[in-house]
């Protein structure tokens, strides 16, 4: 065989080998693609604006994993519940404020069929250091059911607030050097924040003899008291997270309005709460965390939050009470009844005024 014939033969053999390798490579790639397709889950990204009290829930890796298993990736940004309507809502799939009133306003801007969705809720509570709670109880402003829980008596408390009572005027306060100045509850800014606005709703309801404010005359009857409740605090936060963290770290005011979920979450994480006493106002407001779908994807996501067992379980782990699933919260908090009033025994729920009335109330506290 000559040189040319030999070279041609070698080229044919190399070509055949390369073809076999190429076919094998393509086959391997197809198999890998199939395997990848079989084991991966296509996810739909939804973007939403949420109240800050739900930020830890959405950041929880277990929540992220549970949502991904159902085909969702959530990108959430925080905002004060009452400031959400000022945002460019066209950029979001859902808005998730802390209560029904701001959600109703947002719903008017949504073209998606169906109403808002309420996956879970949490009552407003007051956290107190043990010394402060005992002084309140000794002066008829609270009752204690143990070392770590009790009730804040709203009518006597509001009467004390109206009279500008100081800690120094309360018997027993002299034993606690930190209890000085006017007795007040730290809340969030009611103009922008859900918990602050709901505080006004509960206070106005009690102060006006159990009537829900419905007009300007009703707002005027309680406006001076509500103004005192807010202005005595000085600068306010727009999120309940910061004052609660200050309280836990031992700084700030000895009485702070928070969500029950914030306390329950720490308990379920087995964190030490120090001398915290959980006071349930005898007339309070439950914060119905209400999701407003702004797109069809947002509605699908909201319905998933309400119906998926794993997501409800994780909501409970973050201290929330799932709507229509009281047994799940009761079971999870069974070991923490020294703090948590599972059945909200003897606690009256104050009806919440319309968003328009609440906004007017909040504005009156400023001037």
């Amino acid at each position: 065989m000559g040189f040319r014939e030999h070279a041609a033969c070698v080229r044919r053999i190399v070509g055949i080998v390369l073809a076999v390798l190429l076919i094998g490579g393509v086959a391997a790639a197809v198999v890998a693609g199939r395997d990848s397709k079989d084991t991966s889950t296509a996810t739909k990204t939804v973007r939403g604006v949420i109240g800050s009290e739900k930020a830890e829930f959405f950041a929880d890796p277990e929540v992220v994993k549970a949502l991904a298993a159902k085909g969702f990736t959530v990108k959430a940004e925080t905002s004060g519940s009452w400031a959400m309507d000022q945002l460019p809502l066209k950029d979001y799939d859902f808005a998730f404020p802390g209560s029904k009133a701001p959600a109703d306003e947002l719903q008017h801007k949504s073209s998606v069929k169906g109403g808002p969705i309420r996956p879970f809720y949490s009552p407003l509570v007051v956290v107190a250091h043990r010394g402060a709670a005992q002084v309140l109880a000794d002066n008829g402003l609270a009752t204690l059911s143990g070392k770590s829980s009790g009730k804040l008596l709203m009518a006597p408390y509001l009467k004390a607030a109206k009279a500008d009572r100081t800690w120094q005027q309360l018997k027993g306060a002299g034993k606690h050097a930190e209890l000085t100045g006017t007795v007040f509850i730290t809340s969030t800014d009611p103009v922008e924040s859900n918990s602050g606005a709901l505080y006004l709703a509960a206070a106005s309801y009690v102060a006006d003899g159990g009537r829900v404010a419905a007009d300007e005359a009703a707002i005027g009857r309680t406006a001076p008291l509500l103004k005192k409740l807010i202005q005595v605090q000085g600068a306010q936060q727009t999120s309940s997270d910061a004052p609660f963290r200050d309280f836990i770290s031992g700084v700030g005011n000895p009485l702070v309005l928070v969500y029950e979920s914030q306390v329950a979450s720490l308990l379920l994480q087995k964190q030490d709460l120090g001398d915290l006493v959980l006071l349930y106002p005898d007339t309070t407001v439950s914060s119905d965390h209400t999701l407003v779908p702004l797109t069809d994807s947002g509605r699908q996501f909201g319905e998933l939050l309400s119906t998926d067992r794993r997501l409800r379980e994780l909501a409970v782990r973050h201290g929330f009470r799932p709507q229509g699933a009281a047994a799940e919260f009761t079971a999870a908090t069974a070991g923490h009844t020294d703090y948590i009033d599972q059945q909200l025994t003897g606690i009256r729920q104050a009806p919440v005024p319309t968003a328009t009335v609440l906004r007017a109330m909040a504005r009156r506290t400023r001037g």
Side-chain angles (χ1 to χ4, degrees):
M1 181 183 295
F3 175 77
R4 289 182 179 177
E5 290 84 354
H6 177 73
C9 180
V10 169
R11 285 197 297 272
R12 283 196 297 273
I13 293 171
V14 170
I16 292 169
V17 171
L18 287 173
V20 170
L21 289 174
L22 179 60
I23 292 170
V26 170
V30 170
V31 170
R34 284 176 180 164
D35 289 345
S36 174
K37 185 176 181 180
D38 288 343
T39 59
S40 67
T41 301
T43 60
K44 179 184 297 184
T45 298
V46 290
R47 185 180 175 206
V49 56
I50 63 173
S52 61
E53 69 285 339
K54 294 181 283 289
E56 289 190 6
F57 171 75
F58 282 104
D60 185 338
E62 290 298 314
V63 173
V64 173
K65 181 179 177 182
L67 288 169
K70 296 296 181 178
F72 282 94
T73 296
V74 178
K75 294 185 176 180
E77 302 169 18
T78 60
S79 166
S81 292
W82 288 91
M84 288 182 184
D85 66 335
Q86 304 301 314
L87 299 174
L89 296 179
K90 62 181 178 60
D91 296 336
Y92 299 102
D93 294 290
F94 66 91
F96 204 175
S99 67
K100 181 179 181 296
D104 286 345
E105 283 198 332
L106 293 164
Q107 181 63 31
H108 295 316
K109 301 184 178 184
S110 174
S111 60
V112 179
K113 291 184 179 179
I117 300 167
R118 301 179 183 87
F120 41 73
Y121 68 99
S122 184
L124 286 176
V125 297
V126 173
V127 290
H129 293 297
R130 188 163 294 128
Q134 188 61 60
V135 170
L136 292 179
D138 290 343
N139 288 269
L141 304 181
T143 60
L144 299 180
S145 52
K147 287 199 312 179
S148 303
S149 64
K151 287 186 175 69
L152 178 73
L153 305 180
M154 283 292 284
Y157 167 72
L158 293 176
K159 183 178 179 180
K162 187 175 182 179
D164 298 316
R165 293 187 74 179
T166 65
W167 286 104
Q168 292 92 324
Q169 293 172 327
L170 301 182
K171 64 181 180 182
K175 301 175 184 176
H176 307 279
E178 72 279 9
L179 299 180
T180 60
T182 305
V183 178
F184 69 91
I185 295 170
T186 292
S187 68
T188 53
D189 183 350
V191 173
E192 296 189 34
S193 170
N194 178 65
S195 59
L198 294 183
Y199 178 40
L200 298 186
S204 68
Y205 180 76
V206 174
D208 205 20
R211 289 179 288 184
V212 184
D215 52 31
E216 186 61 32
I219 294 171
R221 285 195 296 269
T222 61
L225 172 60
L226 300 187
K227 184 175 180 180
K228 277 193 174 187
L229 295 179
I230 299 305
Q231 295 202 347
V232 70
Q233 300 181 45
Q236 291 179 288
Q237 302 277 355
T238 58
S239 161
S240 60
D241 184 60
F244 181 58
R245 289 184 182 279
D246 286 345
F247 178 90
I248 292 295
S249 65
V251 300
N253 193 42
L255 303 174
V256 180
L257 184 81
V258 300
Y259 296 104
E260 178 197 58
S261 59
Q262 292 172 282
V263 179
S265 176
L266 294 185
L267 290 170
L268 292 169
Q269 294 172 35
K270 302 187 185 307
Q271 293 195 27
D272 181 12
L273 300 188
D275 69 345
L276 181 148
V277 177
L278 183 54
L279 298 175
Y280 288 84
D282 59 359
T283 299
T284 190
V285 176
S286 280
S287 179
D288 291 319
H289 296 281
T290 305
L291 186 146
V292 178
L294 301 172
T295 65
D296 290 336
S297 294
R299 171 160 291 285
Q300 292 169 17
F301 166 67
E303 291 172 347
L304 181 67
L305 276 184
S306 293
T307 60
D308 185 76
R309 186 178 183 85
R310 176 57 176 160
L311 288 169
R312 288 203 314 270
E313 176 186 308
L314 291 168
V316 169
R317 193 169 78 178
H318 283 269
F320 299 110
R321 296 178 181 242
Q323 293 281 8
E328 295 178 28
F329 182 84
T330 300
T333 58
H336 304 290
T337 53
D338 48 338
Y339 289 95
I340 302 295
D341 186 341
Q342 295 177 314
Q343 307 304 321
L344 300 178
T345 309
I347 295 170
R348 194 200 310 192
Q349 289 288 321
V352 178
T354 65
T356 300
V357 170
L358 265 182
R359 282 190 183 278
M361 277 185 181
R363 287 194 296 267
R364 290 284 286 272
T365 67
R366 293 283 183 86

